[in-house]
Amino acid sequence: AEDVLVVVPSHAFREMMHRLADAKTKIKNLAWATKGFETDSGLLPHQVAQDVLGNSIPTAVLSGPTFAPEVARGLPSAVTLACANAQVGQQLIEALGSPTFRPYLAADIVGCSRIRPATARRLTLRSDSWGCCATLSVWLLGCEATAAVASFHWRSSAYPR
């Protein structure tokens, strides 16, 4: 059995699920980085996967925001991995993570598929106190690292422990 990561546009997701269903390889866990809705049905990727593959394979959603050139250059990136099964999610985080690519576990597959990608792209740093720090971190680490730090800071201050 193998872990499979699917990275295709939403309009090709159903076809990929059919290809996986027909493949000889046994799938242990299935994750995808596909965002949005299926054009014809309006279904989210997790609904399409369930429709084609059923419920027997644990699934997870990998969601940014990330900037591909920065990830490729090895600059620090933080993403969300949403999985209903925390143990499977942790296994996938260990398989995908690296010192510069850090997935954080969440349980909200629907929000990760639809809501987070739409709102995360609109993250801006407007506070004057962030100005110098944001400029420096974008220059040294890239936009992804700055967005990750800012969103982590916002989450920490909005939801104190």
Side-chain angles (χ1 to χ4, degrees):
E2 294 185 25
D3 291 332
V4 175
L5 175 62
V6 174
V7 184
V8 296
S10 58
H11 64 80
F13 191 75
R14 183 175 292 273
E15 179 185 345
M16 181 57 70
M17 294 299 102
H18 281 293
R19 287 183 182 194
L20 289 173
D22 296 339
K24 305 274 188 238
T25 304
K26 172 102 171 94
I27 301 171
K28 179 179 164 188
N29 299 307
L30 174 65
W32 57 82
T34 301
K35 299 175 228 167
F37 298 90
E38 184 177 53
T39 308
D40 295 337
S41 69
L43 296 175
L44 290 168
H46 75 280
Q47 295 167 316
V48 174
Q50 185 178 24
D51 185 42
V52 176
L53 301 173
N55 292 322
S56 61
I57 301 170
T59 59
V61 179
L62 191 65
S63 180
T66 57
F67 299 97
E70 293 180 5
V71 174
R73 289 189 351 238
L75 294 174
S77 299
V79 295
T80 300
L81 184 106
C83 185
N85 182 322
Q87 184 178 359
V88 169
Q90 194 57 46
Q91 290 171 0
L92 290 168
I93 283 174
E94 290 170 13
L96 292 168
S98 75
T100 59
F101 187 79
R102 192 164 190 181
Y104 288 91
L105 186 59
D108 185 9
I109 291 176
V110 174
C112 205
S113 296
R114 177 179 59 188
I115 299 164
R116 187 167 188 263
T119 58
R121 284 192 210 104
R122 289 169 178 79
L123 174 66
T124 58
L125 303 173
R126 295 175 187 244
S127 171
D128 290 337
S129 62
W130 276 89
C132 181
C133 180
T135 302
L136 181 61
S137 64
V138 168
W139 182 68
L140 292 174
L141 301 174
C143 295
E144 165 58 24
T146 303
V149 169
S151 61
F152 181 79
H153 172 74
W154 175 81
R155 187 184 88 192
S156 298
S157 62
Y159 302 103
R161 294 177 194 203

